[in-house]
Amino acid sequence: MNDDGDRSDDRGGSDHRRDGGPAAPGLRERKKLATREAVRAATVRLTERYGLDAVTVERIAREADVAVRTFFNHFPSKEDAVLDAVRSRAAELIEAFAHRPPGESLIDAVREAALTVIDRDDARGRDHLVALRLVRDAPTLRAHEMTVLAEQEEALAAAIATRLGTGPATGTLAVAAAAAALAALRVAMSSWLARPGADTGSGSGSGSGSGSGELPARSREALREEIDRAFAGLALLVGAPRTP
């Protein structure tokens, strides 16, 4: 059984760039990340197939070919492992938003950041969509998701505050903007998942997945449509005149 999450060879600890730039992840870090990805993927795969209650940490460890203690080195619970891709995608959204052009409106910046992230067709992105579907049917996952959403809202508010600059109302404006933008994004994702035949690309869920492991172009376009529609609604609200 692979136990790389617990031990690794220090000889590959870091890769230094000669130009003085940031070092690439060393062998130890790459092995840890690979183990974490394997555990997360196994958890999502088994939970999608059998349901959260039927999946034990021991079963996940066997599926990922790691020791049980390795699982707990990376995640405190199976719920956290399921939602790991959601947390990672949330961080990627914040990073993408931070790199949007300064002259872009906040609504456009968040929407474009979200579209950038969903266009990344990788295993983490597919596990993110599968996890969101699983959350709909598991109360314990919903409770854990609230923690992830709170973290994301706080991080986006901080990024928005940086974009707005200092001012007496910056904090309140940033928090309100972050909450509204992320609410629109959650509505879009929920509407897409509720569509008949919505396909997360996993091939084993309730959608019409082919098993290729890729988000089909039709499903991706439908998701983009839902995001555009939700943010158009948010723009209507922002542009509406305030009543006395």
Side-chain angles (χ1 to χ4, degrees), residues 139-152:
T140 56
L141 283 176
R142 286 198 294 271
H144 281 70
E145 185 194 30
M146 293 304 296
T147 300
V148 176
L149 295 177
E151 293 170 354
Q152 184 184 27

Side-chain angles (χ1 to χ4, degrees), residues 113-121 189 215 220 223-224 227:
L115 293 175
T116 296
V117 171
I118 68 165
D119 277 343
R120 296 171 182 167
D121 190 20
M189 300 299 288
L215 183 63
R220 187 183 302 281
L223 179 52
R224 292 179 67 93
I227 291 175

Side-chain angles (χ1 to χ4, degrees), residues 20 23 25 27 79 94-95 104 145 153-154 182 194 233 244:
L27 176 60
E79 289 85 0
I94 306 305
E95 182 180 5
E104 200 171 40
E145 185 194 30
E153 188 172 306
E154 182 178 353
L182 292 179

